[in-house]
Each structure stands twice: as C-alpha cells, then as structure tokens.
C-alpha cells in the first residue's frame, strides 16, 4: 500500500456512518467523465476499457473533478464490467451504446466463462490506480463494483435493455442456473471491491443500477441473497481494519469502509436495498428524501437525490431544487448530497461547481 | 356513425366504473402487434404510420387479438404520434427505434407547427377504422392518445430518451413556452380522443408512458394541469352521451366513456394520475396492486399489473404470478386485468391465450 496522503476531509465518511458533520458532504456519480473538457482532452479515442487500464490516465481522470469541484469524495474512474472483461468474458463498452457482450450468457456451460477474479493479476492496473490516488488524495476514494443483478443483466441481454426480458426469463425459468450466475458475480464483486479497499479505498458503492426494473418479490427472491452476501463479506474490511502496520488506518484505527447501495427507480425497493446490508442507500429523484428516510428508518444513511437533468436548468432553478433536497433532509445526520443518477454528458461543469458551493454553504433551519 | 354491433360483453366497462363483474375483464396493452404471426403476415414492410393509415389493415390488426385471445376490450391499432404526424410536424416511427422527429421542438416559433387537429380531414382513416370496428366488435373499443408530457418528450428530444434531459430543461428554463406546448398537445389529445369516441369508441386511455421519469413536484407543476384539462374536457363524452339518434347508446343511455390513465414507473405518482381525472389508473408491476389501491383510494379503479417480461417464463410461473396479481386485488370491484406495460415482441401468443382463460376462470377467495 502507498504511504498515503492523509484524509484531511472526512465529512463524507462521517455522513456515511450517520455522524454529525460541519457541512453536508457532496460528490457526483459519474463526476469523472464526458461532461469535463479536461476529460475529453485526455481520454482520446478507443474503448473506455483501454483508457481505464492505463493507471496514469485513470488516476488523472479520477482527480479532475476533485480538483475542479472540491467534492468530498473521489470515485475511481472505472466501469462495472471491468471484472467480467478482465476474466475474458468478452465485453466491450461501445460509445453511445454502453457495455456490449459478444457471446451473451445463455446456459450452464457459460458459467465456465466466469472464473474467479485474481485482482492483482487480472486488474493490476485498477489497483495501481487506487494506490496512485490514495497517495494523492486528501478526500476518501470510493471503490465500486456492479451488483450481481445489474452485471448479470448485461451478460444475459448482451447489452443495455429496457425490459430486461431475457434476464427475467432466465431467473424464472431456471432459478438454479440464475442463482449460480449471481453467485459467480457476487464473488467477482467481493474480490474486486475487496482488493480496492485493500489498496486503500476508504468506502465502496455497489451499483445495482437497473434493479428498479424488478418487482419487489422478484428482487427479494432472485437478487437480495447475492447482494446480501457481497455486503456481508465486505463488512469489516477497509484499510483501518487491516491488521498490522502502524499508520495504515488513515481514517482512524478500526474504521472500516462504509458501503453504499444504489439503483435508479427503486422507490419500492429502498427497504430491501438497505436490507442487503448497506450503510448508505442511494435515492433517485423520484422519491422525496424525507419519504426515503421514513421508509429506511433511522439506522441507514441516504445519498442523493437531485435529478441529473435538473442541473441542465438555469442556476436559480438548480439552486432552488438543491435547497429543496437539503431542506427535506432537514439537517439530520447521515446525508451525502449527490445526484439521483450519473452526471449527464451535456452538463455544464460550472453548474456542478456552484452546486458544491451551495451544498457546502447550506445550513439547515434550526 | 356505424349502426354498430351490440356490445354483449360489458365487463370491461363495468370494471372501469367500479361495478361488480361476473369475471375479471382482461386486455393487454399492445395486444395488437409484433407478437402475433397474423400481424406480421398482414403488416408488411414500411412505416407503421402507413399501415395504420389503411383502415382495412388497421381494422384487421385491431381485431386479431380479440379473436385469438377472447379479451374483453379491443384497443385501436394506432400510435400516440398519429395526431402530430397528421398535422405535419414531421414524425416517423422507425422500426427498432420508435418515434423520430425530423426537426425537434426548440423555440416559440415551433408552436406554429402545432396547429389544431381537424379529425375528419387529418385523421379520417382513424375514424373510418373506428367505425369499421364498432360495426364488428361485441366488446368495447378503447380509443387512445398520448398525454401532453409524453408526446412533448418525443417532440423535444427528437426521439426516445432515457433521461428526458432536454424536455426537463425546457420546462424549467422556459415555463411559459412549456405550458404553451402542453396546451397545444392537450388540444390534440382532446380532439383525437373526442373524435374516436364520437365515432363509437366506448372508453379511452391517455398514455403518459414516460411520466415516471419526473419528480413528483415536477409532475404536479408542469404536467398535471394539461392532463387534467384533457380528462375534464372529455368527461361526459361518449356515444351514450351524444344527443339524438335512438340506438346510439350502445352501452346504455347516458353511459359515458370511462378514462384510463397510465405510465410506467409511476409508483410515486399514482395519486396524481388519479387527480388528473382518470376513472381508472394503470399500475405497472413495480407496485403491488393492494398497495396501489391503498394509495389511490376506493373511488378509482385499477388496471394491471403483471410484468410483461413475466409472460416469457414457463406457464406455471406465469400462472402463479397472475394469480398473485388477482389475489392482491382480492375480488374488489374496479379491477381490469392487464400487463404492467405493453406486450413484448418476443411473447408467445399461447401464453396470453392461457392467461385470458386463467383470469376469466379466477374466483377470489370469499
């Protein structure tokens, strides 16, 4: 592990743990990426999978929004298909489309194409990027991976899908094979996030981006067990928890990495996302934050929930809607400000700069 | 108006009105279409807009699922962009993509491209199809149109969109222009549905398919007023309500056409969809039907809510999930069985046949 710059700003971690903070921490999903001119300048042509496999490039891209916006957390520039790509399943990320799978997952023998991840060998570039970042950053770095359901959806559909019809067909028509698939993908998520934490990331987010396509009972039966295992196996991990070397506990000894769980359109699933084992549940813009907190109860922190499309409006509208999000939380501990989904490519970076200032300057009414 | 075959099966209309029925009525959104071999045989190549403009073809396509499945209602084979296409806005439906707009709506002068609809002149083929159908059918025919927001989204985005970012930007950055746009589109929906009812349709559905992309407050401020006006102006219309000629009241004198309102992912919006003035609110599969009824209260009927992807599973799974939907309604009056969104193209028609039989044979536990 790198010696590491000290985390001098721990507001994000404190909020994840439900502790009081001096100012509400903020970061943005997809803060590193297409909306930034400095990203477009360094990114070049070719597959995103190539650019994130170059540690110096991935490090710089991860740092860009931290420098520009002054956000309270960095998130690794990577993608949820990196582990399946790294073990050779045959995935690429096509610009304007998303992840595309050459030979989709169809039958039991496709399980053989999902061998365990050896993080140092298969994704050494990720870990090198994490170590670079930890040496540079004075805010926490968020590790991440795709949740078993959402990664499975890409593997089964062969690409992005609106209906997730083939995925749902597989879970219902062959529950045993489905469970085996999710089990493999849970292993990949655990290995990937686990290695990022070991390399110095201070928190992690499990993206179940498309879980909102599922009926509640479907989620409970076919998805929850695998996601629960991911959170259970990662519980207690983190640099602060590793035995040994003095000084590794950058955020305070015995402080383990909090876990965030997120998907869009999950209003009906919020309680179940928490039940999966998350410390923090991401909420999209469809649910008022006070309603979300009521559904989740006092022991779970929340992250969100300004509509990414709202940021395209004129500043007074952006400001009004951001304040509404903050007001609905009403100063309760355990709120990480974020968008309700990733930054849209057409976003004006200046709006996000102003938004960070607004969140940092906000004081809840007493 | 055609003399009209009598509606001998009024279970659908009774359920829409919250009246007791002998058996639960059922129809399927997109029941006419790509899942049927007899549709693919007659449909031919070319734009869907061409096929639905040929009354003999549109009539046959509308009748196909009624014959095959024995559903309790027919829905006109048409599309929500037909009125804007008919007045020359420049819209086509591209196979595999959806509606595509040549010159998207951008500024105030684009309002001039949205003149009022003269149904007999602009969409005479639709009315001829409706009259043909009314002369043939012994179940009610459902008229429909796109709700102002969802049609606006296509016009502003230029095609299907996941984020609806440009549409949201317009509503927030120029609320006056947005209101004027929705006003024009409300007029189109009223003229279109009004003319279909006048021609003999017995009920109508207003599709606000993508309203679920909106935050609650956004819906309330920017969408609800226009949708409310559509329902208000159509209230009291229908063949039974027209003055004059004996025998026009095919569903019983003074019986006016019930209105259904539907969008996907609208769990947080259900009460507002009812508030728009609907007699029936369509519910997608994300919300349990008993929860939906609780949110909606006793005065509103519900339609739904089996996941269209569920129908791709083996029959025992389909049956189990369909019974769960029925059990959750628990025999209360005011339930129209349907899928929670349109029939997927890859659906096996035999599954829908069996599903109709199952729904018709269902008896709620006493």
């Amino acid at each position: 592990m790198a010696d590491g710059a000290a985390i001098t700003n721990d507001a994000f971690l404190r909020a994840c743990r439900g502790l009081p903070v001096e100012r509400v921490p903020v970061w943005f999903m997809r803060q590193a990426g297409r909306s930034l001119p400095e990203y477009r300048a360094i990114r070049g042509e070719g597959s995103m999978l190539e650019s994130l496999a170059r540690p110096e490039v991935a490090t710089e891209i991860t740092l860009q929004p931290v420098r520009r916006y002054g956000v309270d957390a960095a998130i690794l520039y990577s993608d949820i298909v990196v582990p399946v790509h790294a073990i050779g399943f045959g995935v690429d990320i096509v610009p304007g489309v998303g992840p595309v799978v050459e030979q989709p997952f169809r039958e039991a023998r496709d399980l053989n194409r999902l061998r365990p991840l050896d993080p140092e060998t298969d994704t050494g570039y990720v870990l090198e990027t994490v170590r670079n970042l930890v040496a540079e950053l004075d805010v926490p770095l968020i590790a991440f991976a795709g949740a078993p359901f959402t990664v499975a959806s890409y593997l089964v559909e062969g690409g992005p899908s609106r209906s997730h019809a083939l995925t749902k067909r597989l879970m219902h028509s062959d529950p045993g094979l489905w469970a085996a698939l999710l089990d493999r993908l849970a292993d990949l998520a655990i290995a990937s996030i686990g290695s990022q934490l070991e390399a110095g990331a201070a928190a992690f987010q499990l993206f179940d981006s498309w879980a909102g396509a599922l009926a509640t009972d479907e989620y409970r039966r076919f998805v929850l067990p695998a996601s629960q295992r991911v959170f259970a196996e990662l519980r207690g991990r983190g640099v602060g928890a590793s035995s040994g070397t003095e000084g590794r506990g950058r955020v305070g000894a015995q402080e383990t990495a909090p876990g965030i769980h997120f998907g869009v359109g999950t209003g009906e699933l919020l309680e179940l996302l928490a039940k999966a084992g998350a410390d923090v549940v991401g909420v999209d813009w469809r649910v008022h934050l006070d309603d979300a907190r009521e559904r989740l109860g006092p022991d779970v922190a929340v992250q969100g929930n300004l509509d990414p499309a709202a940021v395209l409006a004129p500043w007074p509208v952006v400001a009004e809607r951001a304040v509404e999000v903050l007001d609905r939380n009403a100063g309760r501990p355990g709120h990480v400000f974020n968008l309700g989904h990733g930054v849209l490519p057409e976003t004006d970076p200046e709006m996000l700069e102003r938004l960070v200032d607004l969140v940092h300057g906000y004081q809840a009414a007493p």
Side-chain angles (χ1 to χ4, degrees), chain A:
Chain A
M1 215 201 90
D3 284 348
I7 293 180
T8 55
N9 171 1
D10 67 350
F12 163 77
L13 292 172
R14 289 182 60 84
C16 288
R17 295 181 178 121
L19 301 172
V21 287
E22 285 187 26
R23 58 187 203 182
V24 177
V26 50
W27 68 281
F28 305 116
M29 291 186 275
R30 284 199 190 281
Q31 62 189 14
R34 283 180 293 168
S35 62
L36 289 178
E38 59 268 36
Y39 167 83
R40 295 192 297 268
I42 194 180
R43 165 73 168 76
E45 301 296 313
S47 169
M48 182 187 169
L49 290 171
E50 286 164 28
S51 65
L52 62 82
R54 294 164 56 197
E56 75 285 7
V57 173
T59 301
E60 171 60 20
I61 290 176
T62 303
L63 292 172
Q64 284 172 346
V66 180
R67 282 191 213 113
R68 182 190 269 261
Y69 299 134
V71 282
D72 300 284
I75 184 154
L76 186 68
Y77 175 69
S78 188
D79 191 273
I80 64 167
V81 299
V82 162
V84 282
H85 165 70
I87 61 168
F89 197 87
V91 186
D92 200 2
I93 300 176
V94 178
V97 176
V100 171
V101 176
E102 211 173 311
Q103 291 175 26
F105 185 98
R106 286 285 174 267
E107 51 195 343
R109 64 177 178 178
D110 288 320
L111 287 172
N112 300 331
R113 298 163 60 202
L114 289 167
R115 67 165 172 81
L117 182 78
D118 178 347
E120 286 289 352
T121 314
D122 297 321
T123 53
Y125 51 87
V126 169
L127 303 181
E128 190 178 332
T129 304
V130 171
R131 291 185 194 104
N132 289 347
L133 286 164
V134 171
E136 287 266 344
L137 286 164
D138 61 0
V139 294
L141 176 67
I142 304 170
F144 76 89
F149 166 73
T150 291
V151 177
S153 170
Y154 285 113
L155 301 191
V156 173
E157 305 286 339
S161 165
R162 206 156 198 156
S163 67
H164 304 272
L166 300 176
T167 314
K168 291 178 182 178
R169 174 157 67 186
L170 177 62
M171 64 176 68
H172 286 288
S173 59
D174 195 341
L177 178 56
W178 173 258
L181 169 59
L182 258 65
D183 205 43
R184 300 279 172 116
L185 296 177
D187 287 340
L188 289 181
I190 293 161
S192 175
I193 292 175
S195 66
Q196 295 173 58
L197 295 176
E198 186 64 25
F204 69 92
Q205 178 155 326
L206 189 69
F207 281 91
D208 212 353
S209 308
W210 311 133
L214 297 167
T216 319
D217 306 315
E218 235 165 11
Y219 180 88
R220 190 181 286 111
R221 179 172 167 202
F222 293 110
V223 175
L224 180 61
S227 294
Q228 262 175 334
R229 191 160 69 78
V230 175
F231 281 102
E233 296 213 13
L234 292 172
R235 182 155 298 282
R237 299 213 203 170
V239 287
S242 22
S243 63
T245 330
E246 196 70 22
R248 290 184 80 173
R250 290 166 17 270
V251 290
Q254 311 316 323
E255 301 270 29
T256 62
I260 309 168
H261 205 182
F262 170 75
V264 278
T266 48
E268 310 296 323
L269 296 177
L270 287 178
E271 297 91 327
L272 291 171
L273 292 179
K275 202 174 169 189
D279 301 291
V280 186
V281 172
V283 181
D284 86 359
W285 63 93
R286 292 172 177 89
V287 183
H288 285 146
L289 211 54
D290 46 346
D291 293 337
R293 296 211 78 145
E294 197 166 310
R295 291 178 203 175
L296 286 164
D299 298 333
V300 180
V302 292
Q303 177 173 280
N305 70 344
L306 184 65
D307 186 351
V311 183
L312 305 185
W315 172 250
V317 176
V318 181
E320 185 191 334
R321 296 188 68 188
V323 168
E324 202 215 320
V325 168
L326 291 158
D327 281 348
R328 285 194 178 268
N329 186 64
R332 279 172 281 198
H335 176 214
V336 175
F337 191 96
N338 205 319
L339 304 181
H341 200 182
V343 172
L344 293 169
E346 53 268 60
T347 303
D348 175 0
E350 196 194 324
M351 286 294 175
L352 296 185
E353 286 179 49
R354 297 176 76 168
L355 192 49
V356 169
D357 290 344
L358 181 148
V359 174
H360 283 161
Y362 175 85
Q363 293 295 333

